[in-house]
Amino acid sequence: MHPFRTALLFLFVLGTRGLFADANSTKISAAEYFVDTDPGEGSGTALTAQDGAFDSEVESIALVDLNVSGLAVGPHLIGIRYKDDNNTWGEVLYQTIHVYDPNPSIDHNATTRLEAEDSNVANASSHQAILTENGTTYVDLGPNGAKITFNYNSFSDLNRTLRIRFKSKGQQRAMGVFVNNVKIGTINSSSSSWIVSSLNSNLLIGSNSIEIRDSENTDELDIDWLEIDGSASSNSSAGFAT
């Protein structure tokens, strides 16, 4: 992993009240911080007052450029501690930072699932309703010529298995499946239970549209999701929804 090398640590403007027992007559004389594990009073990394000197009841801390190259990706606690002019350390105050990996590893065999009701990845036109049944939220395309288009961005040209989860309403229904406006097959069912049908298709590098259309002269199906399976790719590469 290669986490970001630095993180800008912003510390609060704090006064002595609430930090020390005798807050009315104390001034801040020093401050320190540590990451995750408390090394003990006076053993942390020294902080600098924003005005150059710790000599007041209220002090601001200068911006800290914190090197996090040695930290694991994820959340970490920053502990901040102040010392008063009686040489007494106050309580530790904490704030959380997050270390991110700018170059995350990609699972080249990952499967991407696009939910039909998610408007970020799918667009259903002229559909009848978005419904929830037994914990499953899906798009009812209805009998009125509706279609649904899924948007998928591929990192390279590859062949993928597309899996579609759908159901009918107890009568025979069918719809065409089109990838980038080219028909690759049909899905059909007369069952009111959910089934999954698979089709193979070549996806192009960049944006791809995967469309389920009213092309078979029947009423439309209920669509739950579309999965793009990375394990079937001839040129292994991940993709992502757009």
Side-chain angles (χ1 to χ4, degrees), residues 1-7 35 65-73 76 97 99-100 102:
M1 299 218 175
H2 304 284
F4 292 146
R5 288 288 173 184
T6 58
V35 181
D65 187 13
L66 175 65
N67 189 323
V68 298
S69 60
L71 298 180
V73 170
H76 294 272
I97 65 168
V99 177
Y100 297 96

Side-chain angles (χ1 to χ4, degrees), residues 205-225:
I205 187 170
S207 179
N208 292 266
S209 67
I210 302 165
E211 192 173 80
I212 303 172
R213 293 183 189 170
D214 171 25
S215 64
E216 307 306 307
N217 298 315
T218 70
D219 286 347
E220 280 67 79
L221 297 159
D222 297 336
I223 307 296
D224 184 11
W225 46 251

Side-chain angles (χ1 to χ4, degrees), residues 16-27:
T16 59
R17 189 170 304 277
L19 295 177
F20 304 101
D22 188 11
N24 292 324
S25 59
T26 34
K27 296 179 181 180

Side-chain angles (χ1 to χ4, degrees), residues 113 162-166 187 193-198 225 227:
R113 176 176 292 185
L162 310 181
R163 289 193 292 267
I164 304 165
R165 189 172 191 251
F166 61 96
I187 55 174
S193 298
W194 292 106
I195 64 171
V196 176
S197 185
S198 298
W225 46 251
E227 280 187 346

